Amino acid sequence: MSAVMATISEDKMGAVHAKPAQRDEGMRLGFRLTLPAQILVLFISAFPLLMQLYISVTDWSPLSGVGWWNAWEMWNSFANYTDLAADTRFWSALQRTAIVMLVCVPAEFLLGLALATLFADDFPGKRIFYSILLMPMMVVPAVAGYMFFMLFQSGGPVNDILSRIVGMPVTIAWLSDPNLALIAVMIADIWQWTPLMFLILLAGLVGVPDDQMKAATLLGASAWQRFTTIVLPKMKTIIIIALAIRVIENFKIFDTLYIMTGGGPGVATETISVYIYKVTTQDLIWGYVAAIALAILIVLSIVAVYAMRRMAKAGEVPA
Amino acid sequence: MKRSVPFEIFRYAAILSAMAVTLVPILWMVSMAFKPIGEWSATGADLTWWPKQPTLANFQFVFGHSTNDLIVALDHTAVKPILSSLLSAVFGTVIAMSAGTAAAYGLSRFGSGQNLPLALIQLRLFPPMAVMIPVMIMWAFLNLNDTWWGLALIYGIVTLPFAFWLMKTFFDDMPREIEEAALVEGCSRLRVFTRITLPMMRAPLASAALFVFILNWSDYLIALLLTTREWVTIPVYMASLSSSMTGQLYGAKAALGLIAAVPPVIMGVAIQRHLVRGLTFGALKQ
């Protein structure tokens, strides 16, 4: 969509000086300017994709003693893909990733939206509160993982606070209990990424025209009615963007989680990225990893096409 | 709109509790970083919330000064990991910003590279884990494994989408009259770009560069896979700060974590205005 807009403005620019020589100069320069980016994209997509496709139909591993280009010697006629269909550890990792996403993204959205509505108009201290509330998303995720690793130790602050509340010593071993560990990593994710929802939703919220709200108030609409009939429809595209970003990023969840639990205890917090990481670095069966990765890439590409259409549509709506 | 007093009370109460939740994990790490080893972990109810005897020993330890408390000898100090993080993030930013800015200008003004917006968003969409096998093979082939320049190259590619999209929206927003006037004066288009547009865009360029730097600096997974010993970055190095003898070196990790966390937080506040634009690929402007 924006590309189309760019073409139109180019026409405008060209029309001002209808000199064909200058137009050609622009075309040549445009090509040269975009070339480095094109090469980088090609370097990281085309060749790796073909390599991945090739390795994924073999049993190749970095320990197999032959270069990857000779992987055809270990051709296994799509066994990796049939293995994948029967790989329960893969499917439960996928399921776990979905659970984390279904808890974290809505929680981040609702908390972010609630905070954003509190920040919609001016009040003393707004700027400093705003800056502080945004801090978690700027903390290096690996460091955040380490923070929460410390917080959830059985002798750590979380248990200390709980002890004070219930009035007796609480010594929950958060990170070594399969269920609690999953909750702990989700809390860390919500802590870190609610600010992102807050930031984006607030940007959308201040874009809702004030006069419409005033008119609705005069007509006797309650706060809730104003919210559902004016604010939400106006924010629809922004909400979709915010959710899309978090869904994409949450699906990749790795850093905080891996540092807190390493995917454990057992496989209790093993999400899809952690699973692939383990197969890559511990089991070293890269042919199989390539197959998993390709399967994920294909599914995500289908989702991407749909999401991109929404994003492009949103781009037309001024925020 | 005038708000009622109960609403204001509710608002401050809600915001202050959100602040508490936001700050406790951060402050806990700050506190840990200055605690002597005896206060690191609590047994029973005597948890130390704030260091009773604040010390800089943890910071000295990660930089290789042995202290009385910590008898563990470090394999190597945090100096090189910090250098590695810095070099790879800075040069990754240079790569992403150079390629991204040039391409964004080419698309914004001349309509070149129409495939880039979509291709770059797709690049961002995929989990890095799902494309790392070929990258690891290629990097080994190019002798880029375990080097900061190898990391810089992949960082430059991974953050290229952000550099491109941010700069594209900045260029799209920029009024073209000055450029057009210069063209009429007989300036070549390349000269217009380098001598007029880029200097005018100094502030947006700086914001975009800081944004990209934060992303590069925040990486963990890629460094975990591509560096093993010589050029590990801070987060990878942090994991090695434990020993079988003393267990987790909490204080040392917290000290290093603090060192890693401070630059992006400061930069993030500095570019607050552009965060929304950066995070939403320019779909939203604040």
Side-chain angles (χ1 to χ4, degrees), chain A residues 2-3 9-10 22 25 30 38 52 68 118 121 124 130-131 146 155 157 160 191 245 252 293 304 308 319, chain B residues 3 11-12 21 28 47 49 109 112 114-115 118 124-125 130 134 137 168 176 189 250 253 272 284 286:
Chain A
S2 36
S9 45
E10 152 66 10
Q22 231 168 15
E25 188 202 344
Q38 298 280 23
Q52 190 131 300
W68 65 271
L118 292 178
D121 53 347
Y130 178 76
S131 292
Y146 179 60
D160 189 65
W191 177 83
I245 290 172
K252 304 176 187 173
M308 273 303 292
Chain B
R3 303 286 201 157
R11 163 147 70 193
Y12 279 101
V21 175
W28 180 255
L47 184 86
W49 275 92
R109 293 297 186 270
S112 314
Q114 307 269 351
N115 62 315
L118 188 85
R124 185 62 204 163
L125 176 80
I137 295 174
K168 183 184 165 306
R176 282 149 210 232
R189 284 188 193 265
Y250 287 108
K253 281 192 175 184
Q272 226 172 51
L284 276 181
Q286 215 165 2

Side-chain angles (χ1 to χ4, degrees), chain A residues 179-216:
Chain A
N179 294 319
L180 294 178
L182 197 63
I183 292 174
V185 298
M186 290 195 285
I187 290 174
D189 191 78
I190 294 168
W191 177 83
Q192 182 151 43
W193 297 114
T194 295
L196 185 135
M197 283 285 192
F198 164 62
L199 177 76
I200 296 177
L201 293 173
L202 181 58
L205 206 56
V206 293
V208 174
D210 219 21
D211 47 347
Q212 288 191 17
M213 294 290 278
K214 279 188 184 134

